Amino acid sequence: SNAIKQLFDDVDWGDLDYLLIDLPPGTGDIQLSLCQSLSLKGAVIVSTPQEISLIDVRKSINMFKRVNVPILGIIQNMSYFEIEGKKNYIFGKNGVSSEAKKQNLNLLGDVPILPKIAESGDIGKPLTDDQKSEVFMIYEKIAQKTVDALDKVKVKDVDISS
């Protein structure tokens, strides 16, 4: 958590529209420290569809609610893997979308398992650079839904109590 605080405090970020911080799953010291030390406008939760991941997601949702950090929505990662036009739900089907409904949260989108995402990252040319790619369109929709959710947020003070 100190490294993230230092990165936030010591870098001249200039005029940012958004600063996204990707954190490991859970409700550990890093998340609580950020909630205490930064003015977070919202959280986006990402999970794979299986129940074991959703257990951590529920803990994260509860933590963010307790400290008054608005949850902008939830993303289902590794939704499916497509082989010869058929979707294979390796990690289960719709676990995140079902949880979003239960928790009354926005489902921001589904990200399938696409080997070309990893391949493009390995060569340093993200597919999101190509506005005609499937990947660009997936992330564009998620980004727009996230911005729309952020525009509706009424900022509250973070309240961390035991």
Side-chain angles (χ1 to χ4, degrees):
S1 62
N2 285 338
I4 289 177
K5 275 187 66 175
Q6 183 177 6
L7 182 68
F8 183 77
D9 291 338
D10 294 352
V11 172
D12 180 4
W13 294 100
D15 292 329
L16 295 176
D17 291 325
Y18 306 97
L19 176 63
L20 304 174
I21 303 170
D22 185 7
L23 299 174
T27 56
D29 292 341
I30 295 171
Q31 288 84 346
L32 284 172
S33 178
L34 285 177
C35 290
Q36 289 174 317
S37 59
L38 302 177
S39 176
L40 302 180
K41 303 292 189 237
V44 172
I45 297 176
V46 179
S47 179
T48 55
Q50 74 264 39
E51 181 60 27
I52 194 72
S53 294
L54 293 168
I55 291 169
D56 277 342
V57 162
R58 290 181 196 107
K59 291 177 185 175
S60 294
I61 289 168
N62 290 332
M63 182 207 62
F64 285 120
K65 285 180 178 178
R66 269 185 292 207
V67 297
N68 290 326
V69 173
I71 300 170
L72 304 175
I74 187 165
I75 298 168
Q76 183 165 263
N77 196 19
M78 297 195 276
S79 296
Y80 60 87
F81 184 72
E82 197 166 326
I83 300 173
E84 297 176 4
K86 183 177 183 231
K87 292 180 180 178
N88 296 277
Y89 298 93
I90 300 167
F91 298 108
K93 186 175 179 181
N94 298 324
V96 173
S97 55
S98 296
E99 190 66 31
K101 286 178 188 170
K102 285 181 200 169
Q103 298 275 353
N104 197 27
L105 295 173
N106 296 325
L107 178 65
L108 299 173
D110 290 303
V111 180
I113 298 170
L114 296 168
K116 56 189 166 189
I117 292 175
E119 293 164 7
S120 70
D122 286 345
I123 63 170
K125 188 169 176 9
L127 292 173
T128 52
D129 282 349
D130 177 4
Q131 293 186 7
K132 294 178 184 147
S133 77
E134 173 189 11
V135 173
F136 177 86
M137 292 179 199
I138 289 168
Y139 284 105
E140 175 73 12
K141 285 180 186 175
I142 290 171
Q144 189 57 59
K145 286 183 175 182
T146 303
V147 170
D148 292 346
L150 192 55
D151 287 343
K152 296 175 186 171
V153 167
K154 294 181 176 124
V155 178
K156 301 176 186 174
D157 289 333
V158 171
D159 178 27
I160 298 180
S161 55
S162 42

